[in-house]
Amino acid sequence: MVLLCSLLFQLTAWGKTVVAMDCVEEELIEPAEKTIFPPTDYIPVLMYHHFAIRDMGEGNGVVTTQAELRDQISYLKNAGYEIISLETLSELLQRVEKEKVQNRKKGKDEFSLELDKKYVCITMDDGYLSNYELAFPVFQEYRVPASIFVVTDSITNQTGLQKFDWQQAKKMVDSRLVKIYNHTANHIPADMETEDEFLDQVDKGEIALQTYLRQDACKALAFPNGHFTVECQEGLKEMDFDLLFTVEQKVITKQTSRYEIPRIAVESGWDGQTLMENIERTARKSFVP
């Protein structure tokens, strides 16, 4: 407890106004950066893009080396984290939705997920060839699940920076470790097209995934550049999507909607310890603004 004392009036001296307050007792609030939240109260979702053998140098902030990825996964496992698939995440969040309804009826507003384990998800965006050549072998080595959101037209037509092809995508899916999800067919953000145009590109993405992979998976989409509109969000709900992902830098808490899931962008140069520090820092910010 801390005691704050002063007078209830204003004094003007040397051209300055001094505002004073009556003596009050006030509880000392712990700063957000010092507050600790148990890892069982939240779920981090990691977002990767491209991978490389060696450091690509300044200006390549979203390129992770294979050695960094290996160290990060090893560190997470040694810290007691279980890396889960999007199917498991969907089941967890649907359970939380039901609990929210029950708690609302009881007048409760709880922030804890009350998990029995520490969970984390690994996601990748765009479908670069390095996901197959460099990241996939690491997932095989550690036997951990991962999810890739692909721009389907870029996979089919091999446009832009080289992507893995559908045959390589099927090899990853057949391993039962990696699953491939929708990042739309053209990667145009939802706020740069009409609702109908955006949803049409999402539908085209789903058709390509079903045609080439026929995988048993939940229905998930990562918004291009993380941008979305309420109208598109509602349209995707009507299309029976289970999970929608953004790029907001937060962790999943009990208040998170499964139609607006935040992710932590993994940056170049992060070893396992640095990744953990960033997860914990993001968690604190997610709970305490």
Side-chain angles (χ1 to χ4, degrees), residues 26-31:
E26 187 174 285
E27 185 176 351
L28 184 63
I29 299 174
E30 190 74 7

Side-chain angles (χ1 to χ4, degrees), residues 47 50 74 116 148 209 220 231 253 262:
M47 177 177 64
H50 193 26
S74 176
D116 58 347
I148 307 176
L209 291 172
E231 292 77 15
T253 70

Side-chain angles (χ1 to χ4, degrees), residues 256-270:
T256 301
S257 165
R258 60 189 172 98
Y259 302 112
E260 201 169 328
I261 299 174
R263 292 185 287 171
I264 299 172
V266 179
E267 298 182 15
S268 300
W270 287 9

